[in-house]
Amino acid sequence: MTAELVRGQNHPLSRHRVEIRVSAGTPVLAGAALGDDRGRLSGPGSLAHPGAPRVPGVEVPVAAAARHAFPVDLDALPAAVHKVGVVLALPPGGPPRFGAVAAPYVVVAAADGDELAGYTLTGLDAETAVVALELYRRQGAWKVRAVGQGYADGLAALLADHGLSAPAAEEAAARAHAAAGVPAPADAPPADARPVDAVPADAVPADAVPVAGSPYSSGAVPGTGPAPAACDTPTPLATPVVPQGPVPGPVPPPPPADPVADPEGPPTISYAHPRRARTDAPPPPAPQAPPAQPGEPPRPVAGDATGWSMDERLYNQVWGMFEDLARSVAAYRGAAEYAESRMERELDEALADPLGRLGGSGDSARESATARRDDLVAQARAVLDRDLAQLTAEVEVVEPALPAAFARWDNPVWHAHRIPAEAPLALRLGDLHLPECPGLRIPMLVRFPQERGLWIDNGRTGSEAAMMADTAPLRRAAMDMAVAHAVRLLAVHPAGRFSVHVIDAAGAGADSLAPLVRADVLAAPPAAGSAGVTQTLARLTRRVDLVQMALRAGAPEDLPADLDTAEQLLIVHDFPHGFDDRAVTQLRYLADEGPEVGVHLLMVADRDEASAYGPLLDPLWRSLMRLSPVPDNHLADPWVGHAWTFEAAFPPPGSRVLDQALDRIAEARRRSGG
């Protein structure tokens, strides 16, 4: 039986020689985009289109038609190809947009004719080009995913969004349209093509629940609606998800992004390396999992992702697990919602006749509809549980293998940790989990250097957990969280490559700051009072100004000898105590301009205490990623907009791991003369 997919769903492929069948209400161009593990095209030669119909493993039609059928041999694809996107585009002179014609239907069929999975591209409107399906490879297994990602600006915008330069994308799109020539008549379809009107609007048969995909997936696929942006609702962890309805322009797949929680706007979680230098040397081979028994899912192995180092592989693998869990839960929730709406529809139809509501037939209809709903939900839950078991096994393998920068504080890696010679790829801020699987925690990693500052909210109005907490313990937890983050930064950077400054105007954070002061790892004693605030801000503002001027002049080597060129972290506690208007302006300047030149801000503050400044500080709060010392579901993923519960990374109670890390930091600094 064909698995009818909904947007974002995955389905395993049991065959490697398949046929793509397209049925549309109007002639369309069909193509195939061969991408790497992130869906990026290596060049124009990675695209099969009417002007260049053959690429290794794929041969697409050379003309526009209302129906297509073309083969894909997954075993014949180049080793660097991890994704094959099925692309549809409206030819010049045809309908102006997909919303003006019947919804296209795309099927993946086996060579013997059996249909494996199908997807109806509903919800299209202003788009003129769309990625319909994606065949992708994860841990040696191929799967298909329903994408439905549309572009109102056409095929060129689609190709540019998948990695081609603008000129190359324009040229490839022009060749495709020119080679397609006059569209083939709509009444001359392949014999085995499925008529478009044979697919119901919801694309889900009455006796089947949508089949959720395995969590072993990767790549960027749009979500199902825009993510909320208010501070008391989930904020996206990356780029906005694909909106429903009219699309003003290309809707790009979300790039890996950091969890960046704004108080009023979206935060983000990015797992892409921001500044890794490219090299011509090929990456070392990824670890191989032990062979699985017949019928078993692939066994997980740490580092089973692409990357130029083990850290980068683990980083990308965590990114993949994060996305996989989001999509598996989305498929389950979508199936449950479909089952509920189907039950309501059946009850409306059965009870529309007043006579049917009086006798036993009404009760029988209710019981029957409820039983079918429960059966569909149970099927969806079984698939979700299967996916969760696979992801749990992967997390259990990956967590112990993480380096110190990515690891929990209770990871044994900290016992043997030594100060490294290179800066880290990313940092761990805490864990993320969903209500369907609270025990499955995904590490929340942020890229480094960070592109925006952090705000640890020590107020009691940010979440239900904060409202239930006492003020003093909440404020202490927020400052302890900031200190743990500072220790991690110092421990995973080379000695002397990172400096930490603290503004604690009222001295309220002295107990939390004691380990940093005792280890003598701060750039200067914590600044107290308004004078200390002024001096610290003036010193860091001067550094930002001088580095910016040197970079703009192309003479970074001409910086003053007394300028600290190390990365800087400024921890501000109990803002706005001790700040005057000039200091507030300088703080906003550091938040906006500092990250670009290595000055990073970490605020520990209650926004309500700064309410006297009114909207003046709104840009400051929006520029920072909001975190909470207590569990809070204010973050959302960039694919489907789930509300993820964030839990901060604290050392275990009674552990001396911070003190041990600080001892090693101090010793490394003494040896380096820092």
Side-chain angles (χ1 to χ4, degrees):
M1 184 179 65
T2 307
E4 299 290 349
L5 306 180
V6 296
R7 179 180 293 187
Q9 273 192 275
N10 312 318
H11 186 70
L13 290 177
S14 57
R15 320 286 178 85
H16 286 187
R17 296 176 65 88
V18 298
E19 184 178 66
I20 306 298
R21 301 173 183 173
V22 179
S23 300
T26 186
V28 297
L29 305 182
L34 278 57
D36 58 16
D37 61 316
R38 294 184 182 176
R40 312 296 286 176
L41 305 180
S42 61
S46 297
L47 176 70
H49 59 78
R54 295 182 181 85
V55 295
V58 183
E59 182 175 355
V60 301
V62 296
R67 296 175 189 174
H68 294 287
F70 60 91
V72 176
D73 185 352
L74 299 175
D75 291 331
L77 295 173
V81 173
H82 290 258
K83 298 182 180 181
V84 179
V86 177
V87 176
L88 305 180
L90 293 173
R97 55 191 178 91
F98 273 110
V101 298
Y105 181 70
V106 184
V107 167
V108 180
D112 59 9
D114 289 343
E115 295 186 351
L116 306 177
Y119 172 46
T120 302
L121 282 77
T122 57
L124 297 178
D125 188 19
E127 299 88 339
T128 58
V130 63
V131 179
L133 291 176
E134 181 180 74
L135 313 180
Y136 67 95
R137 174 168 52 193
R138 181 81 188 275
Q139 292 192 341
W142 283 93
K143 298 178 176 65
V144 57
R145 175 162 49 223
V147 181
Q149 177 180 327
Y151 294 78
D153 291 337
L155 184 59
L158 183 153
L159 299 178
D161 190 49
H162 283 73
L164 294 188
S165 64
E170 293 285 353
E171 181 181 356
R175 288 186 60 197
H177 289 306
V182 179
D187 58 353
D192 55 358
R194 176 172 179 170
V196 69
D197 55 4
V199 184
D202 55 11
V204 184
D207 59 347
V209 63
V211 180
S214 164
Y216 292 95
S217 64
S218 62
V221 181
T224 55
C231 62
D232 56 349
T233 56
T235 45
L237 292 168
T239 55
V241 295
V242 172
Q244 299 289 341
V247 181
V251 184
D258 296 329
V260 184
D262 285 339
E264 298 178 354
T268 40
I269 287 191
S270 175
Y271 293 88
H273 196 321
R275 294 179 178 88
R276 173 171 59 77
R278 299 296 299 179
T279 174
D280 294 333
Q288 297 296 317
Q293 296 298 322
E296 290 184 357
R299 296 180 181 178
V301 60
D304 184 23
T306 58
W308 295 74
S309 67
M310 177 55 76
D311 284 5
E312 188 172 8
R313 288 192 191 120
L314 290 167
Y315 176 79
N316 290 333
Q317 189 170 12
V318 169
W319 162 261
M321 294 189 302
F322 179 41
E323 180 182 2
D324 295 343
L325 181 56
R327 295 196 183 286
S328 291
V329 171
Y332 166 72
R333 292 181 181 178
E337 291 173 1
Y338 164 75
E340 191 71 28
S341 63
R342 173 186 160 176
M343 181 188 71
E344 295 295 335
R345 185 171 64 250
E346 289 178 348
L347 289 177
D348 289 343
E349 294 173 355
L351 304 179
D353 184 358
L355 296 178
R357 296 195 293 266
L358 299 178
S361 60
D363 294 337
S364 176
R366 292 187 186 91
E367 293 175 359
S368 177
T370 301
R372 282 192 290 270
R373 186 273 314 272
D374 294 344
D375 182 59
L376 291 177
V377 173
Q379 292 180 48
R381 184 70 209 196
V383 174
L384 176 64
D385 289 342
R386 178 202 66 194
D387 293 349
L388 295 181
Q390 294 179 1
L391 264 180
T392 300
E394 188 172 9
V395 170
E396 290 173 350
V397 169
V398 170
E399 275 286 4
L402 295 178
F406 302 176
R408 292 193 302 247
W409 285 109
D410 59 357
N411 192 313
V413 71
W414 285 104
H415 299 313
H417 177 67
R418 294 294 180 267
I419 304 303
E422 296 182 357
L425 172 71
L427 295 172
R428 186 174 188 152
L429 295 181
D431 295 330
L432 297 165
H433 62 86
L434 291 171
E436 284 84 357
C437 44
L440 180 55
R441 307 299 177 93
I442 302 297
M444 176 177 167
L445 306 181
V446 294
R447 294 175 297 181
F448 200 86
Q450 292 172 234
E451 297 179 357
R452 59 191 306 190
L454 301 177
W455 164 34
I456 300 177
D457 188 356
N458 64 2
R460 299 184 61 228
T461 59
S463 66
E464 182 177 350
M467 292 173 61
M468 297 176 63
D470 292 334
T471 300
L474 181 64
R475 290 177 176 268
R476 175 62 187 266
M479 197 58 190
D480 288 347
M481 180 178 170
V483 169
H485 180 68
V487 173
R488 185 186 294 268
L489 276 171
L490 292 169
V492 299
H493 277 83
R497 291 273 297 277
F498 214 97
S499 297
V500 177
H501 307 258
V502 176
I503 291 178
D504 186 24
D511 290 342
S512 296
L513 292 169
L516 296 176
V517 174
R518 183 169 56 251
D520 194 25
V521 296
L522 296 177
S530 58
V533 171
T534 300
Q535 293 172 4
T536 302
L537 292 177
R539 184 165 60 249
L540 291 175
T541 301
R542 172 179 176 267
R543 183 192 184 280
V544 172
D545 289 340
L546 291 176
V547 174
Q548 283 186 338
M549 287 188 292
L551 292 176
R552 289 168 185 165
E557 68 280 358
D558 292 339
L559 289 168
D562 64 339
L563 190 73
D564 184 3
T565 57
E567 297 277 329
Q568 310 285 314
L569 174 69
L570 172 61
I571 301 176
V572 178
H573 184 228
D574 274 353
F575 174 80
H577 188 88
F579 281 73
D580 56 19
D581 290 346
R582 176 177 173 79
V584 169
T585 301
Q586 289 177 316
L587 188 68
R588 288 185 54 187
Y589 176 71
L590 292 178
D592 293 338
E593 304 294 334
E596 186 177 357
V597 292
V599 177
H600 309 280
L601 181 61
L602 197 167
M603 299 271 290
V604 183
D606 180 359
R607 183 173 181 174
D608 290 344
E609 293 184 353
S611 59
Y613 287 94
L616 176 66
L617 290 181
D618 287 350
L620 173 64
W621 303 117
R622 284 196 297 267
S623 70
L624 303 174
M625 180 200 306
R626 177 181 170 268
L627 301 173
S628 174
V630 294
D632 191 358
N633 62 348
H634 66 292
L635 299 174
D637 65 77
W639 305 284
V640 291
H642 292 319
W644 292 75
T645 298
F646 167 79
E647 294 193 18
F650 287 107
S655 171
R656 295 192 64 254
V657 63
L658 289 188
D659 293 330
Q660 294 170 355
L662 286 169
D663 290 343
R664 294 190 181 103
I665 295 166
E667 176 63 22
R669 290 192 168 195
R670 284 192 293 269
R671 290 179 178 177
S672 66

